[in-house]
Amino acid sequence: DIVMTQSPLSSPVTLGQPASISCRSSQSLVNSDGNTYLSWLQQRPGQPPRLLIYKISNRFSGVSDRFSGSGAGTDFTLKISRVEAEDVGVYYCMQATQFPWTFGPGTKVDI
Amino acid sequence: QVQLVESGGGVVQPGRSLRISCEASGFTFSSDVMHWVRQAPGKGLEWVARISHDGSSIQYLDSVKGRLIISRDNSKSTLYLQMNSLRDEDTAVYYCAKDLGGSWALDYWGQGTLVTVSS
């Protein structure tokens, strides 16, 4: 199975300041079709997860442009350009290149 | 708008069975791949199973193979998870999630249903 790791696991942030979360996979996420199936999800307290980014850098419908994704191979990053109060929650990276799909342990973002 | 509503969770004894459901609306259910993902209390997310749009292709997490069975009824726009031989470690909130077709991501999630395995 592909193991996903994230850092930091906890990130106190300041409103209006940028934040960054790193995600690393135990093997390359480049699929045989040439695509890299790495996505980012946000889970606010008491809520189900919500898709933010798919295929490394594609923002999902309705997601603020303050969120951006980048990376390649085994190293990926989620950036929040200016943190807002509503961004508090846990952020997960997820790989869908190989079954079983696996998630990172989550990064808790709080103010 | 896309809606996924899970039901059927509850408290069940170890070794017993339970079936949970996910009723879908707001999209063409029969065209979309669907998934179950679970989250143990206070823990992270764990992918459980995936089923193709017509049920012909299914994948499972190894630890649930032979015990949890994913299925769907496209005429009812409903996804199921039959859970047999339940173990303490199956205790979790179970979410159904829709696949972002072709992009292999989970674009819409239900609110989840809690399954507690306890004697």
Side-chain angles (χ1 to χ4, degrees), chain B residues 6-10 20-21 36 92-96 110-116:
Chain B
E6 300 93 340
S7 62
I20 59 176
S21 304
W36 287 103
V93 173
Y94 285 76
Y95 296 102
C96 67
Q111 290 294 316
T113 188
L114 175 61
V115 174
T116 303

Side-chain angles (χ1 to χ4, degrees), chain B residues 15 18 21-23 27-29 33 37 39 41 47 54 75 77-78 84 88 93-94 99 103-104 113 115-116:
Chain B
L18 190 70
S21 304
C22 169
E23 188 168 345
F27 66 103
T28 306
F29 180 77
V33 174
V37 176
Q39 186 169 36
W47 175 86
D54 61 358
S75 69
S77 296
T78 302
N84 301 321
D88 290 350
V93 173
Y94 285 76
D99 193 291
S103 293
W104 298 5
T113 188
V115 174
T116 303

Side-chain angles (χ1 to χ4, degrees), chain A residues 19-62:
Chain A
S20 179
I21 299 170
S22 174
C23 173
R24 186 165 288 179
S25 57
S26 60
Q27 57 188 269
S28 173
L29 297 186
V30 179
N31 190 274
S32 55
D33 64 7
N35 288 306
T36 299
Y37 296 108
L38 184 282
S39 57
W40 289 94
L41 302 105
Q42 174 198 61
Q43 187 173 31
R44 292 170 171 152
Q47 294 294 314
R50 167 195 174 212
L51 179 65
L52 297 176
I53 302 284
Y54 62 96
K55 286 201 292 186
I56 301 178
S57 60
N58 294 272
R59 206 174 300 116
F60 185 57
S61 173

Side-chain angles (χ1 to χ4, degrees), chain A residues 58-105:
Chain A
N58 294 272
R59 206 174 300 116
F60 185 57
S61 173
V63 173
S64 169
D65 60 6
R66 296 183 295 103
F67 292 93
S68 64
S70 63
T74 61
D75 288 286
F76 306 93
T77 301
L78 175 71
K79 290 183 179 175
I80 309 174
S81 59
R82 300 173 309 281
V83 173
E84 296 185 359
E86 64 182 19
D87 299 335
V88 165
V90 180
Y91 291 77
Y92 296 93
C93 58
M94 185 195 83
Q95 70 79 20
T97 291
Q98 179 184 114
F99 287 110
W101 291 10
T102 48
F103 294 87

Side-chain angles (χ1 to χ4, degrees), chain B residues 26-48:
Chain B
F27 66 103
T28 306
F29 180 77
S30 58
S31 298
D32 281 288
V33 174
M34 297 294 295
H35 300 253
W36 287 103
V37 176
R38 67 185 179 184
Q39 186 169 36
K43 303 296 185 183
L45 300 168
E46 182 175 55
W47 175 86
V48 173

Side-chain angles (χ1 to χ4, degrees), chain B residues 22-117:
Chain B
C22 169
E23 188 168 345
S25 60
F27 66 103
T28 306
F29 180 77
S30 58
S31 298
D32 281 288
V33 174
M34 297 294 295
H35 300 253
W36 287 103
V37 176
R38 67 185 179 184
Q39 186 169 36
K43 303 296 185 183
L45 300 168
E46 182 175 55
W47 175 86
V48 173
R50 167 201 179 270
I51 186 168
S52 62
H53 70 286
D54 61 358
S56 62
S57 176
I58 289 173
Q59 287 79 29
Y60 292 103
L61 180 67
D62 277 354
S63 63
V64 308
K65 270 181 195 172
R67 300 189 302 114
L68 274 57
I69 302 169
I70 189 173
S71 63
R72 64 192 298 159
D73 185 338
N74 287 343
S75 69
K76 296 181 179 178
S77 296
T78 302
L79 177 72
Y80 302 102
L81 188 66
Q82 176 67 42
M83 310 171 73
N84 301 321
S85 303
L86 281 162
R87 305 169 179 169
D88 290 350
E89 56 264 36
D90 295 318
T91 293
V93 173
Y94 285 76
Y95 296 102
C96 67
K98 176 182 163 300
D99 193 291
L100 180 56
S103 293
W104 298 5
L106 301 173
D107 58 354
Y108 290 97
W109 297 62
Q111 290 294 316
T113 188
L114 175 61
V115 174
T116 303
V117 183

